[in-house]
């Protein structure tokens, strides 16, 4: 028994011609080697009330009926799960990767999620849909960054061992300041390259001495084996790097001038945190515990580079392992 074949445009042209000539349904079916029920259903379902049966119109009606919409349009449960995770700050890639990790197989691609969100933006003209995306952009694309001033007497990133660039060893950090429109407001961040964990503290002064004190306070609680190196850009707030190196027993390196992308981990972290802390944010107006909650969201969001584990899931076992190993020292 042969499988059913959808009518082609050529067959629909023949149906229209024979129907206009006054042929019966059985005669048309015999001419096309089709079942009479197929011809009867075609004339009933795909004919226009005013134009009658037209091949092009019938083809369009049949194709529209077969189109069932995007996956997220059809699957209410999956759409709700995807949108809930996007609303929590996850990127489409993180959502797709985590769903695959939990299900043990691919559930949906990140491209499908992106297309769905941008289709909703266009279809509904509701700009709020863009806030489901990490950077809340109307169009996809890359943005460029500016440069930084030159300073001397700083160990170059080019002298940094290759093992640090490989991210295979824990304890190598990047540091930077996240600035805001309001004068005197900033956040100082430290980003661990292996686990992608980020720790941060609000900073009301970017002078070199307070920044050095803040970095020491951030990293000093870490076991010695998780304080191996730290990489800065060429901002003047990091000119007390010798004091940081001495107090933390850590080695400092600096990016080339105008090349903050060389510490790409923390640049990426700042970009992700901007979703919750845009430049116009006033840190003084944040509700109590809101800052800690935002950092916790970042550290508990799965990352593709970690096999869709979260930074916290990767870092916490390292921390306990190092604490349980007495006498460990930076290597």
């Amino acid at each position: 028994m042969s499988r059913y074949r959808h009518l082609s445009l050529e067959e629909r042209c023949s149906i229209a011609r024979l129907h206009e000539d006054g042929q019966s349904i059985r005669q048309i079916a015999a001419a096309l080697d089709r079942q009479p029920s197929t011809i009867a259903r075609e004339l009933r379902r795909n004919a226009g009330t005013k134009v009658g049966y037209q091949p092009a119109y019938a083809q369009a009606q049949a194709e529209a009926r077969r189109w069932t919409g995007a996956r997220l349009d059809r699957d209410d449960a999956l759409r709700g799960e995807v949108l809930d995770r996007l609303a929590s700050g996850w990127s489409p890639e993180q959502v797709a990767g985590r769903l695959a990790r939990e299900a043990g197989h691919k559930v949906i691609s990140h491209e499908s999620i992106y297309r769905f969100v941008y289709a909703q933006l266009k279809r509904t003209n509701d700009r709020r849909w863009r806030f489901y995306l990490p950077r809340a952009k109307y169009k996809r694309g890359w943005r460029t960054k500016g440069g930084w001033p030159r300073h001397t007497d700083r160990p170059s990133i080019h002298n940094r061992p290759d093992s640090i660039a490989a991210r295979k060893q824990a304890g190598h950090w990047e540091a930077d300041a996240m600035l805001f429109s309001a004068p005197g407001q900033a956040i100082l961040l430290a980003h661990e390259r292996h686990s992608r964990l980020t720790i941060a503290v609000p900073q009301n002064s970017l002078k070199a001495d307070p920044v050095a004190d803040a970095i020491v306070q951030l990293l000093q609680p870490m076991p010695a084996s998780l304080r191996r190196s730290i990489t800065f850009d060429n901002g003047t707030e990091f000119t007390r790097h010798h004091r940081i190196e001495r107090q933390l027993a850590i080695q400092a390196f600096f990016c080339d001038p105008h090349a903050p992308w060389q510490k790409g981990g923390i640049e990426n972290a700042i970009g992700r945190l901007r979703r919750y802390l845009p430049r116009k944010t006033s840190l003084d107006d944040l509700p109590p515990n809101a800052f800690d909650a935002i950092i916790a969201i970042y550290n508990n969001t799965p990352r593709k580079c970690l096999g869709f584990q979260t930074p916290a899931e990767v870092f916490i076992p390292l921390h306990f392992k190092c604490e349980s190993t007495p006498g460990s020292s930076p290597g």
Side-chain angles (χ1 to χ4, degrees):
M1 183 177 179
S2 60
R3 296 181 61 185
Y4 174 78
R5 294 178 292 108
H6 290 291
L7 289 169
S8 66
L9 181 58
E10 291 78 10
E11 288 177 307
R12 288 189 167 97
C13 290
S14 298
I15 292 172
R17 185 182 68 255
L18 295 172
H19 186 60
E20 286 181 4
D21 291 342
Q23 298 287 323
S24 69
I25 288 177
R26 289 187 179 277
Q27 289 172 325
I28 297 173
L32 297 179
D33 193 24
R34 288 282 191 166
Q35 292 293 326
S37 60
T38 299
I39 306 302
R41 183 170 57 247
E42 173 68 14
L43 291 171
R44 184 178 67 251
R45 299 180 71 191
N46 293 332
T49 55
K50 295 183 179 180
V51 299
Y53 185 81
Q54 298 290 334
Y57 177 80
Q59 182 79 7
Q61 288 292 98
E63 290 177 353
R65 193 176 293 113
R66 287 199 297 270
W67 185 83
T68 55
R71 174 81 182 280
L72 293 178
D73 283 321
R74 291 181 279 117
D75 192 330
D76 293 341
L78 179 60
R79 182 174 65 250
E81 192 167 3
V82 167
L83 292 181
D84 284 345
R85 298 189 184 203
L86 290 176
S88 298
W90 296 20
S91 72
E93 192 171 47
Q94 290 164 342
V95 173
R98 189 68 175 198
L99 287 173
R101 183 182 182 91
E102 293 171 353
H105 59 83
K106 184 177 180 179
V107 177
I108 191 171
S109 72
H110 65 280
E111 284 295 331
S112 295
I113 299 175
Y114 271 114
R115 283 196 297 267
F116 173 76
V117 173
Y118 283 115
Q120 299 306 312
L121 267 171
K122 186 175 181 179
R123 183 182 307 158
T124 65
N125 201 28
D126 185 350
R127 296 189 172 191
R128 290 174 296 180
W129 276 96
R130 69 189 178 96
F131 293 110
Y132 279 113
L133 300 175
R135 306 296 175 95
K137 296 194 295 183
Y138 292 107
K139 295 182 179 180
R140 299 174 72 177
W142 298 97
R143 297 175 180 171
T144 58
K145 299 181 181 295
W148 299 83
R150 177 185 295 272
H151 293 280
T152 58
D153 187 29
R154 299 186 171 192
S156 170
I157 194 172
H158 299 290
N159 297 328
R160 200 172 66 173
D162 293 339
S163 59
I164 299 178
R167 296 180 181 268
K168 299 297 184 183
Q169 185 183 52
H172 300 288
W173 298 80
E174 297 171 355
D176 204 351
M178 185 175 177
L179 306 180
F180 296 88
S181 301
Q185 291 196 344
I187 294 174
L188 190 64
L189 302 99
H191 175 87
E192 204 279 312
R193 287 177 54 82
H194 175 71
S195 65
R196 277 70 170 180
L197 186 93
T198 296
I199 54 178
V201 62
Q203 190 74 12
N204 56 18
S205 173
L206 288 182
K207 292 184 178 180
D209 287 323
V211 166
D213 292 339
I215 291 175
V216 170
Q217 291 175 9
L218 278 175
L219 296 183
Q220 206 161 38
M222 301 289 172
S225 57
L226 290 181
R227 289 186 275 111
R228 300 176 185 272
S229 76
I230 188 166
T231 302
F232 303 109
D233 59 36
N234 285 264
T236 57
E237 63 269 26
F238 302 121
T239 54
R240 297 293 185 268
H241 63 95
H242 290 304
R243 179 148 60 93
I244 296 170
E245 290 178 300
R246 183 175 64 256
Q247 294 186 12
L248 293 177
I250 199 171
Q251 191 172 9
F253 299 96
F254 287 84
C255 299
D256 293 332
H258 311 291
W261 52 266
Q262 290 176 331
K263 53 176 182 54
I266 198 163
E267 294 290 321
N268 180 276
I270 290 174
R272 292 172 183 270
L273 289 170
R274 281 295 184 196
R275 177 170 188 178
Y276 310 98
L277 297 167
R279 189 173 289 272
K280 62 182 179 181
T281 301
S282 173
L283 298 181
D284 294 334
D285 295 337
L286 287 179
N289 302 321
F291 176 76
D292 290 339
I294 290 169
I295 301 301
I297 289 172
Y298 174 90
N299 286 324
N300 287 281
T301 298
R303 301 290 300 276
K304 178 182 179 181
C305 55
L306 300 175
F308 294 101
Q309 291 181 282
T310 69
E313 288 172 340
V314 175
F315 184 83
I316 290 174
L318 294 172
H319 189 275
F320 282 116
K321 180 180 179 181
C322 292
E323 281 191 328
S324 63
T325 306
S328 59
S329 60

